Amino acid sequence: MSEQGSGWPFVGRGGPLAAVREALRSGSGMMIAGAAGVGKSRLAAHVLAGQQGYAIVRALGTETASMIPFGAFAHVLTGPPRSGENLLRWATRHLRGRARGAELLVSVDDAHRLDPASAALVHYLAAKGEARLLVTVRSGEPQPDPVVALWKDELLPRVELPPLTVSEVGEVLAGALGGEVAAQTVRHLAGVSEGNVLYLREVVLAGRESGCLAERDGVWRWRGELSMTTRLRELVGDRIGHLDEDEREVLELVAFGEPLGAALLVELTSAGAVERVESRGLIVTVGDGRRDQLGLGHPLYGEVVRGDCGTLRARRRLRVLAEALEATGLRRREDELRAAVWRLDSGSVTDPAMLTSAAKLAWGRHDPRLAARLARAAIDAGAGVAAVSVLGEVLMVLGDAGSAVTALRQVARDAVTESERAQHACSLAVNLAWAGADAEACHVLDTAVATLTDPVWRQEAHVYRAVTDCFAGRLTGATRSLALARACTPGSLRGAAHAACLEAWVDAYAGRTERALAVAERTMATVDEWRDLAPHALPTFLEAQCAARTFSGRLAEAARTAEHAMRLPTAEMSVTGYGAYRAMAARLRGDAEEAVRWCREDMARVPAGEPYLGRLAAELAHALALLGRLDEARETLAEAEKLTARWAFTRQHVLQAAVWVAAAGGDLDEATELCRVAAAHARRHELGGHLMFALHDLVRLGGRAPELGALATELEGPLVRVLARHELALGDPAGLRAVAAEYERLGMVLYAAEATAHEANAYHDAGRGRLARSARARAGALARLCTGVSTPALVELVTPELTPRQREILQLAAAGLTNREIADRLTLSRRTAANHLQAAYDKLGVNDRTQAGRLLESPQTSFMSPS
């Protein structure tokens, strides 16, 4: 029996496979235990496939055969026993006879289902050493005593086969689907299946059948809700088995209410029924502080159980749960949220204030979709401005600021009390700022501040004014607003957390990276105190950490922070786009292919039309340009330009990507001019970290940027100092070699290759050919680590004999421009352009644009040796 299908790859079982094979080689065999569908039979089959020199007898325990003595071995036991012969000896004699002198290997699958005689035979074979045994059993299932004795009496060692890990699920999916699978999809399917290979296979088949799992842009992604096929429902239903009425009530209550307090569940049902369901592994205990909580033994159990309930039955269960939890006094904040959701789903809502409070709680837990649903229900039930204000903030991060502004304008006259006016002003202003209506957003907040008297609400308004300044690229203005917010005393924990996260964000983007990280570390130490109160704070802190670590050259830390953030509930909020920083870290290391993967991974999550999606698109265009995929890069850059226009800090990514799209097209004059545009934009909006990169891009393109020296005294972190030394060392081979070593230490392999290429040029210009060739070889070795990446400095490595003008014309020709187009772009005569191009062909030994293109497309394959 194959538990996962022969077409699926066998991965993640190297350790158990080696252990079982060694047990068969040197001992009496092995028992493989594990949950149903985990892959025990597949493992056993792989073990048997590699065995030679054995006579193999296979047996299978089934419900039907368990009614017949020796039923599992009936297919190999023929002929009656001799008169008075012991039945176990008779069966052993038959098995040995089939071996014809070879060593006997008996494989027993699902040994927990063996009939008593077959179980006794297996134990006898092990105890007498008559055969080597490979036995599989299902963990948690009752087993015949002789089978239990196999491992309890140490006749066979036992290995417990665990579910697949997330990374192993990824390997299986990639092999089964024949392509790349998005990391978010891998995590989703690993969670739904809990690493059970049988369930994973059926969920994948169901997803492909429903269209939820499909290949998009060369990557397999899951979108939508789980669809239960008939086969998947039957498999899970078979695992659940028969339930009496009390047991079904227990399982249904847990399915609708998990995690559910054990005491509450017993009160609603009976201790005996709860214990029976737990003993079968259908529900499990989940630790939660001092409470014993119960959850389903597998996520798919809930899909089946809830699907089997009709509408009225489901509503009755939910109403019972809500009433029981309310009777306990709703002692925890999450109790109030859960009770409200159960009331809403059961159609028994009576209190709009309860729904409004629950919406705030859901928003605090970074579940914007649930928060929006509860807020809308509260409004429908008669709630006022507070519910609309919550809905407004939630709609913003769900990518629907327009609807939020409309809804908030409609209730503006209803905002009467100070708290209502403050909440309404903050929600309206942040949505206006998000949508690019900066002037109106500032007016709304300035008006509110002038009329508010409560320091808590004044603090809130000043914080939101700082948010508006950040969106508009006024970091000094944001700093002033934050100072005013801190001066409002006594303030609130929410206001202090939001002010601190914005302070860290402003410092990070301004290039004060050490200060940003210190603020983040200090405030994140108390995250449990403010997490639920300040919904924007945690995602903003995480982005600030990503930015500060990237701008200071801590690429590994930036990558880890971004990956961690992408797995948190905050990743559902469109105010993130952490994948852009994960891609930046990869790009700065020289791994443009990985940068492309991370951008596309996060772009599949961020709502369409959002500026954070534009930032991701810009980073994608940047990486594609480095890989020479010019058409894709230009198309992606055009899309990014549409999306990022209204925010300065996301617009900066587009401006810097445009530099490298121009360079990939061979137009270095245009690329250099775009560097200056990007630098001017960063300087105007006080984006010190981005300014550092924009100025250094001039150096990478072969120009000078003396401003880097001054910037190194203004910004914090090691990276800006290395970039400034690179500019200062141009023409100094020893200085460039030291800079390259610093880049390597920071993990910036591409930059190290470029600095070493500059070193080679410096030696060449000084007439020191041997040292130039040696540096060129070192640069080539570094560049080969940056697979597929091409930059002007790397191209120069393979064309050192060309003049800068010849190299520029050659790159334009390789990009497909005609001689007339080249002449027009560079303001040359057509004859001059043609002469330069022919001279370049002669020096390189190529004959046409196609050959030149192949040479320039991947410089790593063409580096000259030092000989």
Side-chain angles (χ1 to χ4, degrees):
M1 180 179 67
S2 172
E3 292 188 44
Q4 65 188 90
S6 59
W8 277 49
F10 183 75
V11 300
R13 301 306 193 197
L17 181 63
V20 176
R21 283 177 172 167
E22 175 59 24
L24 286 176
R25 187 187 65 80
S26 60
S28 56
M30 176 73 82
M31 175 180 285
I32 305 170
V38 80
K40 304 180 297 296
S41 300
R42 187 80 183 276
L43 175 60
H46 271 264
V47 171
L48 294 175
Q51 301 302 319
Q52 296 180 350
Y54 290 103
I56 300 176
V57 172
R58 291 177 171 84
L60 173 63
T62 65
E63 294 292 341
T64 302
S66 67
M67 304 295 183
I68 307 168
F70 295 110
F73 290 92
H75 61 294
V76 294
L77 298 178
T78 58
R82 297 166 184 166
S83 177
E85 185 178 17
N86 179 285
L87 290 179
L88 294 179
R89 290 199 184 98
W90 161 75
T92 302
R93 175 167 59 81
H94 269 276
L95 295 177
R96 297 292 306 166
R98 293 179 64 88
R100 301 180 184 276
E103 189 166 4
L104 181 62
L105 171 57
V106 177
S107 170
V108 185
D109 205 7
D110 288 345
H112 53 282
R113 290 177 170 169
L114 290 178
D115 61 275
S118 294
L121 174 59
V122 172
H123 184 274
Y124 180 84
L125 293 171
K128 298 299 183 181
E130 294 286 352
R132 297 181 190 268
L133 294 170
L134 180 58
V135 178
T136 73
V137 295
R138 184 178 297 176
S139 300
E141 292 282 335
Q143 298 171 16
D145 289 342
V147 173
V148 174
L150 288 174
W151 62 273
K152 277 201 169 181
D153 294 344
E154 299 183 353
L155 296 174
L156 291 179
R158 171 175 165 146
V159 61
E160 195 76 26
L161 195 63
L164 295 173
T165 64
V166 174
S167 62
E168 290 164 353
V169 167
E171 291 182 60
V172 170
L173 291 173
L177 296 171
E180 183 182 349
V181 184
Q184 188 176 9
T185 296
V186 171
R187 291 192 294 271
H188 170 68
L189 293 177
V192 169
S193 66
E194 286 197 343
N196 184 296
V197 190
L198 179 61
Y199 291 160
L200 176 64
R201 177 178 181 273
E202 294 303 322
V203 169
V204 167
L205 291 175
R208 295 193 67 176
E209 183 178 314
S210 65
C212 290
L213 181 61
E215 192 173 17
R216 301 175 178 92
D217 299 322
V219 180
W220 287 89
R221 304 183 191 280
W222 185 286
R223 289 180 181 171
E225 298 297 322
L226 177 65
S227 175
M228 295 288 289
T229 62
T230 300
R231 175 171 163 77
L232 180 56
R233 186 176 294 279
E234 288 176 351
L235 281 171
V236 178
D238 180 64
R239 175 65 187 91
I240 293 173
H242 174 73
L243 299 168
D244 63 31
E245 191 57 34
D246 290 343
E247 292 167 345
R248 177 160 295 280
E249 182 181 22
V250 167
L251 200 58
E252 286 177 357
L253 287 171
V254 176
F256 283 107
E258 66 173 332
L260 205 56
L264 183 65
L265 183 61
V266 167
E267 183 180 328
L268 291 174
T269 56
S270 70
V274 172
E275 290 170 4
R276 291 197 302 275
V277 175
E278 184 183 30
S279 70
R280 292 167 57 179
L282 300 179
I283 59 174
V284 294
T285 301
V286 182
D288 182 20
R290 290 178 294 179
R291 284 186 178 182
D292 286 333
Q293 301 274 57
L294 295 172
L296 294 171
H298 196 282
L300 291 177
Y301 297 166
E303 296 290 337
V304 170
V305 171
R306 290 188 295 270
D308 287 344
C309 284
T311 301
L312 296 179
R313 186 183 183 94
R315 287 182 175 179
R316 177 161 55 86
R317 295 292 189 216
L318 289 164
R319 188 169 59 254
V320 166
L321 287 168
E323 291 169 351
L325 192 57
E326 289 166 356
T328 67
L330 305 177
R331 293 186 293 272
R332 291 186 176 186
R333 291 171 61 84
E334 60 264 30
D335 290 347
E336 182 181 352
L337 174 59
R338 300 178 77 211
V341 172
W342 290 337
R343 283 290 187 189
L344 181 59
D345 289 342
S346 66
S348 59
V349 172
T350 57
D351 184 4
M354 178 188 192
L355 291 172
T356 303
S357 178
K360 292 178 180 179
L361 290 170
W363 178 218
R365 296 299 174 89
H366 299 110
D367 191 342
R369 288 171 179 79
L370 177 58
R373 181 168 171 251
L374 288 163
R376 285 192 174 101
I379 294 167
D380 291 343
V385 173
V388 179
S389 298
V390 174
L391 179 62
E393 292 207 25
V394 172
L395 288 178
M396 181 191 75
V397 303
L398 290 175
D400 195 5
S403 295
V405 169
T406 299
L408 287 160
R409 290 193 195 281
Q410 289 172 348
V411 297
R413 293 182 180 179
D414 298 332
V416 177
T417 68
E418 183 158 309
S419 65
E420 288 176 341
R421 286 187 288 111
Q423 291 177 74
H424 181 269
C426 290
S427 186
L428 176 59
V430 77
N431 275 283
L432 289 168
W434 183 276
D438 172 60
E440 187 179 357
C442 292
H443 174 72
V444 167
L445 289 168
D446 292 344
T447 302
V449 167
T451 61
L452 297 173
T453 59
D454 188 327
V456 169
W457 292 120
R458 287 178 61 83
Q459 178 189 53
E460 188 92 351
H462 282 305
V463 167
Y464 276 75
R465 184 63 161 83
V467 172
T468 301
D469 287 329
C470 287
F471 284 164
R474 297 186 296 266
L475 299 196
T476 297
T479 300
R480 284 196 298 268
S481 295
L482 290 174
L484 292 170
R486 284 190 289 270
C488 296
T489 56
S492 67
L493 191 58
R494 167 190 164 94
H498 276 152
C501 77
L502 275 177
E503 180 184 0
W505 192 96
V506 169
D507 283 339
Y509 276 84
R512 298 184 290 268
T513 55
E514 305 306 314
R515 203 177 315 177
L517 292 171
V519 171
E521 182 179 359
R522 183 171 63 248
T523 316
M524 289 284 280
T526 60
V527 64
D528 291 339
E529 298 176 13
W530 50 259
R531 184 201 307 265
D532 294 351
L533 302 173
H536 293 292
L538 182 57
T540 305
F541 268 127
L542 291 168
E543 185 182 335
Q545 288 178 317
C546 287
R549 285 167 176 155
T550 300
F551 293 144
S552 63
R554 299 173 171 93
L555 301 185
E557 293 178 34
R560 284 195 295 270
T561 302
E563 288 183 51
H564 168 67
M566 290 171 75
R567 292 185 174 91
L568 293 177
T570 55
E572 289 297 313
M573 298 166 61
S574 65
V575 290
T576 53
Y578 302 115
Y581 278 104
R582 185 61 186 84
M584 279 185 72
R587 171 171 58 76
L588 292 170
R589 288 200 321 270
D591 193 344
E593 290 284 6
E594 184 180 348
V596 168
R597 286 195 297 274
W598 282 108
C599 285
R600 286 185 169 151
E601 171 74 20
D602 217 19
M603 287 173 75
R605 178 190 56 78
V606 178
E610 288 307 303
Y612 282 95
L613 181 61
R615 181 168 73 174
L616 285 162
E619 280 300 319
L620 176 58
H622 198 148
L624 290 169
L626 293 179
L627 291 168
R629 293 156 64 175
L630 191 55
D631 290 342
E632 289 180 78
R634 285 172 174 160
E635 183 180 342
T636 307
L637 181 64
E639 184 63 26
E641 286 174 337
K642 298 176 190 174
L643 292 168
T644 61
R646 66 181 186 258
W647 291 357
F649 67 94
T650 54
R651 173 72 177 159
Q652 189 68 36
H653 290 261
V654 175
L655 296 176
Q656 291 178 216
V659 171
W660 294 96
V661 173
D667 195 338
L668 297 189
D669 288 343
E670 175 72 5
T672 300
E673 180 57 31
L674 288 172
C675 269
R676 296 191 177 96
V677 171
H681 183 272
R683 193 181 297 109
R684 183 166 61 255
H685 294 291
E686 307 167 87
L687 301 172
H690 285 298
L691 175 60
M692 167 188 75
F693 282 124
L695 291 173
H696 184 256
D697 280 350
L698 282 170
V699 177
R700 296 174 65 199
L701 292 171
R704 302 301 300 248
E707 290 175 78
L708 272 171
L711 201 62
T713 65
E714 299 172 15
L715 307 189
E716 298 172 353
L719 179 54
V720 66
R721 295 191 290 273
V722 181
L723 299 182
R725 285 201 298 273
H726 188 176
E727 197 279 339
L728 191 64
L730 290 177
D732 172 15
L736 288 165
R737 187 164 189 174
V739 166
E742 281 296 300
Y743 283 141
E744 283 195 80
R745 186 183 65 78
L746 292 172
M748 301 173 67
V749 180
L750 174 60
Y751 283 45
E754 291 178 329
T756 308
H758 291 162
E759 176 194 349
N761 293 339
Y763 277 128
H764 180 271
D765 293 344
R768 305 177 71 176
R770 183 180 62 81
L771 292 174
R773 289 191 295 273
S774 176
R776 198 169 294 127
R778 282 187 278 108
L782 289 166
R784 278 189 288 274
L785 299 174
C786 308
T787 306
V789 171
S790 178
T791 68
L794 301 188
V795 168
E796 196 169 350
L797 280 176
V798 298
T799 59
E801 60 275 28
L802 301 187
T803 67
R805 179 61 86 185
Q806 289 170 345
R807 191 175 295 113
E808 183 176 28
I809 290 174
L810 185 72
Q811 286 185 272
L812 291 171
L817 274 69
T818 65
N819 287 0
R820 179 180 294 280
E821 290 170 331
I822 294 171
D824 291 344
R825 178 169 296 189
L826 301 180
T827 321
L828 301 171
S829 71
R830 186 176 176 185
R831 180 186 295 275
T832 300
N835 288 340
H836 277 306
L837 184 59
Q838 188 58 53
Y841 286 167
D842 293 342
K843 288 180 179 180
L844 296 176
V846 299
N847 298 318
D848 55 33
R849 284 170 165 75
T850 301
Q851 291 180 353
R854 281 198 292 266
L855 175 69
L856 301 180
E857 188 177 53
S858 184
Q860 293 91 334
T861 63
S862 307
F863 291 127
M864 299 175 64
S865 69
S867 57

